[in-house]
Amino acid sequence: MRVCRVGLIGAGGVAQRHARVLADFDDVRIVGVTDVVPEAATRLAESTRARFFPDVDALLAADLDAVYVCVPPFAHGAAEEAVLAAGPALFVEKPLALDRETALRINRLVDERGAVTAVGHHWRYLTVVDEARRILADRPVRLVAGTWLDRVPPVAWWPRRDRSGGPVVEQAAHVLDLARHLVGEVTEVWAAGNGTPPEVAGADVDGATAAALRFATGAVGTLGTTCALGWKHRAGLEVYADGLALSVGEDGLLVRDGDGERRIAGDPEQGRRDVDRAFVDAVRGIGADVRVPYSEALRTHLLALAVAESAATGALVRVPPLEPANV
Ligand SMILES: NC(=O)c1ccc[n+]([C@@H]2O[C@H](COP(=O)([O-])OP(=O)(O)OC[C@H]3O[C@@H](n4cnc5c(N)ncnc54)[C@H](O)[C@@H]3O)[C@@H](O)[C@H]2O)c1
């Protein structure tokens, strides 16, 4: 098979990361880049020996096998629709959108087209996450405590609710996805936002959010986020079962049981590389290890939106199972 011809929509921080990873794969060629800021696309195109394209339609005319949609949360929808109509496989960065409707609409199109898709939940590829899942396989989880304790990321759209969706949707989605992966589906949530935005211009997101989660298995959990720090403090999940405590995130895995404590160091780059490798392999038809296709990310997105809705309204929000009737 010919090399996998890839296009990039969005040329910001995460697109640059994917471009670095993809450039190391012998069987991938980054063909073109487009961005609403032409200078950003030109810069990334030059550094990857790709071509600049002025818009999505022009990019999609370049005979592509796969397209990465690396736009901010508020900008999802039209790009995915165009890619799915044109035919290439689709990689989308999380979060899928700001709202339910856009993500549900794209999910229906993915289904109709039978498209190969993947979403940037690269934590699912971490070997420490595989190990945590193996350890928890026959241990009913009782309690979960997720955290994302960080600074405000240095992109202008982030502190605005109508641009990013807020910290739970934009960042803690990684933690919620991990909770679903290790513990199962969440059926109801209640959350509170502190109502105090971080001290950056134009911010209207909560500086801190606390949520309570009930899982279908009977496990209960919490999620705590803050963006009030000047550094990334911690992001991950603590999981407690009978006689077992486990803490896992990009940094590594800590396990404690009756036999003592052991630590396994994490390698964030490994997850970031493997998520792209698995997608390319699926596109080329030489692998089947896409762990988070669009429909799976949709479940995480609906959960994150439920937490954000509860924080905004103060109401307990049930997370409906994703039956065809809901899609
Ligand atoms: N999976 C991960 O670990 C990870 C890491 C970082 C960012 N992300 C996600 O990736 C997304 C982008 O983040 P980022 O840090 O790259 O942001 P960024 O602001 O650095 O880059 C976004 C780029 O998209 C461009 N853009 C905006 N609207 C567009 C449109 N309609 N068409 C084409 N280009 C458009 C912007 O001009 C900008 O260059 C966010 O949703 C973020 O959550 C994921």
Side-chain angles (χ1 to χ4, degrees):
M1 187 192 179
R2 68 174 186 176
V3 294
C4 182
R5 293 169 58 83
V6 171
L8 303 174
I9 301 176
V14 84
Q16 292 162 31
R17 187 173 95 194
H18 287 297
R20 274 196 302 277
V21 171
L22 293 169
D24 270 351
F25 297 160
D26 290 341
D27 56 353
V28 171
R29 178 157 161 239
I30 301 175
V31 172
V33 186
T34 191
D35 192 296
V36 288
V37 178
E39 300 74 34
T42 305
R43 256 195 317 274
L44 184 55
E46 278 171 2
S47 72
T48 52
R49 294 198 207 139
R51 275 180 61 202
F52 159 80
F53 287 89
D55 56 40
V56 170
D57 287 343
L59 177 74
L60 290 173
D63 186 23
L64 302 174
D65 298 306
V67 175
Y68 278 66
V69 176
C70 297
V71 300
F74 66 86
H76 285 283
E80 287 92 332
E81 282 169 357
V83 174
L84 290 166
L90 175 66
F91 188 108
V92 182
E93 262 308 338
K94 43 58 60 182
L96 299 182
L98 286 180
D99 60 351
R100 295 166 57 93
E101 291 66 31
T102 305
L104 289 167
R105 191 175 75 242
I106 302 299
N107 190 54
R108 275 194 298 271
L109 289 175
V110 168
D111 256 11
E112 281 166 26
R113 304 262 162 186
V116 173
T117 61
V119 176
H121 282 296
H122 62 272
W123 286 21
R124 294 253 197 143
Y125 288 87
L126 296 169
T127 55
V128 289
V129 168
D130 288 343
E131 177 67 2
R133 215 164 124 90
R134 195 189 59 71
I135 293 168
L136 292 170
D138 54 357
R139 312 283 293 254
V141 170
R142 307 299 182 200
L143 178 69
V144 173
T147 44
W148 194 293
L149 314 173
D150 205 343
R151 61 184 180 145
V152 174
V155 278
W157 47 265
W158 198 91
R160 290 273 308 279
R161 207 180 281 262
D162 65 354
R163 308 259 93 191
S164 69
V168 172
V169 171
E170 207 280 339
Q171 283 181 322
H174 282 298
V175 178
L176 292 171
D177 187 67
L178 184 58
R180 291 187 51 245
H181 185 52
L182 295 180
V183 186
E185 298 301 341
V186 174
T187 55
E188 51 187 29
V189 302
W190 179 83
N194 71 340
T196 303
E199 289 190 344
V200 299
D204 68 355
V205 297
D206 287 318
T209 309
L213 318 171
R214 182 185 298 283
F215 291 80
T217 59
V220 291
T222 60
L223 174 72
T225 75
T226 184
C227 54
L229 306 175
W231 63 93
K232 184 165 180 182
H233 190 68
R234 181 146 40 102
L237 200 67
E238 291 171 23
V239 183
Y240 301 92
D242 299 340
L244 174 76
L246 179 155
S247 172
V248 62
E250 278 191 292
D251 303 344
L253 171 67
L254 172 68
V255 186
R256 182 163 179 183
D257 58 18
D259 297 330
E261 190 175 284
R262 68 191 170 97
R263 282 170 198 273
I264 304 174
D267 175 5
E269 291 310 316
Q270 170 255 322
R272 293 168 189 171
R273 188 178 61 243
D274 290 359
V275 70
D276 285 336
R277 189 62 249 174
F279 175 61
V280 169
D281 285 350
V283 174
R284 301 196 69 204
I286 57 171
D289 191 26
V290 170
R291 300 186 184 180
V292 188
Y294 198 93
S295 58
E296 178 65 10
L298 178 61
R299 291 167 190 270
T300 296
H301 183 56
L302 296 181
L303 171 57
L305 288 175
V307 175
E309 180 187 335
S310 180
T313 62
L316 184 140
V317 176
R318 290 187 209 292
V319 187
L322 202 53
E323 309 289 342
N326 300 319
V327 180

